Amino acid sequence: MLLTGGLKSLLPHVLRRIIRCSRLSISNTSGMAEGYKQANIVILHKSLADDFEKFCHANDGPLPLLYRSQPGDWKCPSLSIDSDIRTDCLQYRKYEHGACTGSLKSLKEYSEQLKDMVTFYLGCSFSFEKAVQKAGIPIRNVEQKCNVSMYKTSVPCHSVSVFHCNLVVTMRPVPESKLEAAVLATSELKEAHGAPIHIGDPGLLGIQDLSKPDYGDPVHLHPGDIPVFWACGVTGVEAVMNCRAPLAFTHSPGCMFVTDLKNDNVRSLGGGPQVHCISQDPLHFSIVSAEAAQKINTLETLIGIDPGDRGIMYLQHQGELLRACLAMSHAGSVLITTGFPTHFTHEPPEENDGPPGALAIAAMLQALEKEVAIVTDLRAMDLNKKIIEEAVQLGILRKPVPLLSYQRESADSALMFLCENGNPRRPRFDHLIAIERAGMAADGNYYNARKVNIKHLVDPIDELFLAAQTIPGITTTGVGDGGNELGMGKVKDAVKKHIKNGDVIACDVEADFTVVAGVSNWGGYAIACALYVLHCCEIHDRYLRRAVGFPRAPSKRLCWALPSVTKEEKLLKTLVQLGVRSGKTASLEMEVDGLPFYNTHSLMIEKLLQEAQH
């Protein structure tokens, strides 16, 4: 018997010849014939072949099709010379009516049946191992001399006819400092599953215990390692079982067919993908193209000007808008709050900075088919109901947004509001957004910019953001322009040092992400534009859908949901008619925070749209 030493440098045709002679003492082909493509194998009756090919094309992340044979053809000339699929895998599995009925070293005894069967050669992640190693990333399963770990997930593949199953993934531990390098090394290797489909907590894929893989061996993480998951060709095995074909064969997981094709590591011309952490509990990273990230960072720069000369530059941290919007992009249900009753001597006391930005975010979230609701002060419910109704009439919102209020009735009121039956494992919302919402200061009061306490007008919605910090799976964003808004607790030290009256008015309640803008509405417009950019990003879209199903083409509905000068002009006129005043001057004119709508706010909207749609 041959041992594994030196096998990684063997040429594929030599390795296949050795496998054919059953002279290997190995249990998998990971690390073998380094730099050459390996393939998963599925062999089905010819009557099922067309539907299975469609299934592969519909789920090309886990099932990148390298070659489809003719019925009874045991060779694959475009992948290898002198190969015979009946003998050239280390081990095979036989399936009858969906059940695995045996493991085999050779399929020669089934040559007669194979004359009516078609072989599919599907890309394999073993193919990218050399590229990953060249990037300085350890392959833990090779170090530990075991097979890679493979897991069934709760992610459904796109079904075609009798073929349906959930996605199967491989997991490779990667040091956190090397995550981006791992994505870069694999993203262009589409025939080897491409970039990861998930980075972080396995529970987000429905995987309960990494120590108990469904296929392969458990691979141990080193301190500082992050579990990284790639789509896996064993998905095809699951599909074969579920279709319950009378007879089918596959490779045994980890025992691949080694091809003669080299794996060229092609670099993307548009700049490689970036990796960003969007949640610590559960740990979750997202992926975005460098081009999309740059666009969103430009949006953040555009809204970061300081027309009121308040000193907001000291509160800004580059990249907050990007991370906030990545978190929103992954969310299924979003809760928005707004409302700053700074004009306490008027009725209504609300200012007109906040509601337009909140509705811009809500409109885009609706277009992205996410659940969205707004929570506001009980005393302001009628006003907000009218604003939402008008927003639907004006074509800003596709449909009315549910309007909620929150009151503290007991110690667990916030938990009961945010989670089903108060169960922190069942949150109703994945993300909370506060935009120009009065925020609680360190002394428990709420202050406008002039240090006036307006606590009597503000319901304790801050408690929802405080509770969210203790609930796994809920992330939060605060949008503000002066430091006294909900969520700005993350930059409170800078607010106290650089903002007028900051030592008194600074909000003490933190959000995970803090978007600081010259006017808070601009922050809302920028979030809507950034979500549009992410939707149009192929790299992010693939990651969101876990590389199953078809790419989402940017839709007209999404363009329609973007803010526009015309829509925002009509909305501001509506707010004026409802008595909602400018924040700085309390005037009922076409202005926000003392700045004229025309040639200031309208110009900002045009700049943001130009960058998002360029």
Side-chain angles (χ1 to χ4, degrees):
M1 300 287 282
L2 291 176
L3 300 176
T4 57
L7 287 176
K8 66 181 181 180
S9 59
L10 280 182
L11 291 173
H13 73 277
V14 177
L15 182 59
R16 286 197 305 273
R17 198 174 302 151
I18 295 169
I19 290 172
R20 201 175 301 158
C21 297
S22 300
R23 293 177 60 203
L24 282 181
S25 62
I26 58 174
S27 60
N28 65 83
T29 55
S30 176
M32 302 297 104
E34 279 187 341
Y36 288 89
K37 292 179 181 176
Q38 298 193 30
N40 298 270
I41 300 299
V42 170
I43 305 174
L44 293 163
H45 191 268
K46 61 186 179 183
S47 62
L48 296 169
D50 287 349
D51 282 340
F52 187 73
E53 181 173 348
K54 291 175 185 174
F55 183 70
C56 292
H57 292 314
N59 301 283
D60 64 357
L63 304 171
L65 185 55
L66 303 182
Y67 183 76
R68 170 185 167 171
S69 80
Q70 293 298 315
D73 186 357
W74 303 321
K75 301 186 181 302
C76 49
S78 65
L79 301 183
S80 60
I81 57 171
D82 78 342
S83 64
D84 185 335
I85 197 55
R86 298 174 301 170
T87 56
D88 290 0
C89 290
L90 269 177
Q91 193 171 57
Y92 302 86
R93 285 189 176 179
K94 176 186 173 187
Y95 293 90
E96 296 176 281
H97 301 285
C100 180
T101 56
S103 293
L104 310 162
K105 284 287 187 181
S106 168
L107 300 181
K108 275 197 164 183
E109 64 182 287
Y110 297 96
S111 296
E112 193 60 35
Q113 292 93 325
L114 289 170
K115 288 178 181 178
D116 287 324
M117 302 183 82
V118 173
T119 302
F120 290 86
Y121 299 76
L122 306 164
C124 170
S125 61
F126 288 176
S127 305
F128 65 51
E129 289 177 340
K130 181 68 173 178
V132 169
Q133 286 176 317
K134 282 176 71 174
I137 302 161
I139 306 290
R140 298 292 188 213
N141 68 288
V142 175
E143 288 179 349
Q144 296 168 28
K145 294 182 172 58
C146 63
N147 199 352
V148 72
S149 302
M150 291 163 266
Y151 304 89
K152 301 176 187 178
T153 73
S154 57
V155 178
C157 290
H158 184 89
S159 299
V160 174
S161 187
V162 296
F163 294 104
H164 61 92
C165 66
N166 284 358
L167 176 68
V168 177
V169 294
T170 57
M171 187 281 293
R172 289 169 172 82
V174 175
E176 186 168 358
S177 62
K178 298 284 188 179
L179 288 177
E180 202 156 277
V183 175
L184 280 167
T186 59
S187 62
E188 292 301 310
L189 301 177
K190 305 284 196 251
E191 293 185 341
H193 304 303
I197 59 91
H198 178 62
I199 303 173
D201 193 310
L204 294 172
L205 292 177
I207 299 167
Q208 301 305 317
D209 189 347
L210 284 181
S211 70
K212 297 176 181 178
D214 296 291
Y215 300 98
D217 301 316
V219 178
H220 304 293
L221 280 72
H222 289 205
D225 280 352
I226 305 294
V228 181
F229 300 86
W230 278 266
C232 176
V234 175
T235 302
V237 175
E238 290 289 307
V240 165
M241 287 193 287
N242 287 343
C243 85
R244 300 184 180 277
L247 180 66
F249 302 98
T250 71
H251 68 292
S252 187
C255 301
M256 304 302 171
F257 175 83
V258 183
T259 78
D260 293 340
L261 301 183
K262 282 209 163 184
N263 226 345
D264 297 320
N265 196 1
V266 182
R267 278 282 182 266
S268 170
L269 297 177
Q274 296 181 3
V275 178
H276 296 275
C277 184
I278 59 171
S279 170
Q280 288 293 336
D281 186 16
L283 186 62
H284 193 190
F285 295 80
S286 190
I287 296 177
V288 64
S289 72
E291 181 183 9
Q294 181 56 53
K295 277 179 177 284
I296 294 171
N297 288 336
T298 300
L299 295 174
E300 188 172 42
T301 300
L302 287 171
I303 64 172
I305 61 171
D306 191 3
D309 199 25
R310 301 183 188 182
I312 65 166
M313 70 183 76
Y314 300 107
L315 315 185
Q316 295 166 341
H317 295 281
Q318 183 74 37
E320 290 285 291
L321 176 64
L322 174 59
R323 288 187 289 274
C325 291
L326 284 170
M328 292 176 210
S329 182
H330 283 270
S333 180
V334 180
L335 180 68
I336 302 171
T337 184
T338 189
F340 208 121
T342 189
H343 304 304
F344 54 92
T345 61
H346 293 279
E347 180 55 41
E350 269 68 28
E351 62 168 295
N352 58 15
D353 189 18
L359 292 176
I361 297 169
M364 184 54 67
L365 292 172
Q366 281 187 342
L368 291 169
E369 300 183 347
K370 300 182 186 296
E371 293 181 20
V372 56
I374 292 175
V375 60
T376 190
D377 301 297
L378 186 61
R379 57 159 191 83
M381 288 287 280
D382 287 343
L383 172 65
N384 279 278
K385 185 179 179 183
K386 290 175 185 175
I387 293 171
I388 289 171
E389 288 172 352
E390 286 296 320
V392 174
Q393 290 294 317
L394 295 172
I396 294 169
L397 292 174
R398 194 173 53 173
K399 59 183 180 181
V401 177
L403 193 59
L404 311 173
S405 67
Y406 169 75
Q407 301 292 315
R408 189 178 200 275
E409 297 172 351
S410 64
D412 62 352
S413 288
L415 193 64
M416 293 296 293
F417 184 95
L418 292 173
C419 302
E420 292 182 27
N421 300 318
N423 182 353
R425 291 189 221 174
R426 301 188 67 186
R428 290 191 176 95
F429 308 100
D430 306 308
H431 197 90
L432 311 184
I433 304 170
I435 174 168
E436 192 64 21
R437 170 71 195 176
M440 186 173 63
D443 63 2
N445 292 317
Y446 297 79
Y447 297 96
N448 66 14
R450 295 176 288 280
K451 283 200 304 189
V452 176
N453 184 4
I454 53 173
K455 183 176 182 178
H456 61 292
L457 295 171
V458 182
D459 288 348
I461 291 171
D462 304 66
E463 292 181 4
L464 301 180
F465 281 68
L466 291 168
Q469 295 172 9
T470 69
I471 302 169
I474 302 182
T475 48
T476 57
T477 295
V479 183
D481 57 19
N484 57 344
E485 301 90 359
L486 176 54
M488 292 292 122
K490 187 174 180 180
V491 293
K492 63 185 176 184
D493 291 340
V495 173
K496 291 174 182 177
K497 185 175 181 181
H498 297 288
I499 302 296
K500 183 180 178 181
N501 300 324
D503 56 329
V504 174
I505 70 171
C507 176
D508 200 52
V509 180
E510 294 188 22
D512 295 312
F513 312 103
T514 304
V515 177
V516 180
V519 177
S520 291
N521 280 343
W522 299 354
Y525 304 149
I527 287 172
C529 289
L531 289 170
Y532 174 83
V533 170
L534 289 176
H535 180 84
C536 297
C537 173
E538 291 181 10
I539 288 172
H540 182 66
D541 169 61
R542 181 186 186 275
Y543 189 75
L544 268 187
R545 59 185 172 84
R546 312 294 195 197
V548 297
F550 296 100
R552 298 180 306 180
S555 64
K556 290 182 180 179
R557 185 177 70 234
L558 230 65
C559 294
W560 173 86
L562 283 166
S564 72
V565 172
T566 301
K567 288 191 291 189
E568 296 308 312
E569 178 186 25
K570 290 177 180 177
L571 179 59
L572 186 54
K573 286 179 179 178
T574 295
L575 292 176
V576 169
Q577 291 167 3
L578 291 171
V580 182
R581 300 167 183 271
S582 173
K584 196 170 184 179
T585 63
S587 71
L588 283 171
E589 304 291 337
M590 289 295 287
E591 66 172 51
V592 179
D593 275 356
L595 302 168
F597 178 79
Y598 305 105
N599 297 322
T600 301
H601 299 290
S602 62
L603 195 60
M604 177 59 70
I605 293 167
E606 288 173 351
K607 286 180 179 178
L608 293 171
L609 287 173
Q610 183 178 6
E611 181 60 32
Q613 295 181 298
H614 178 63

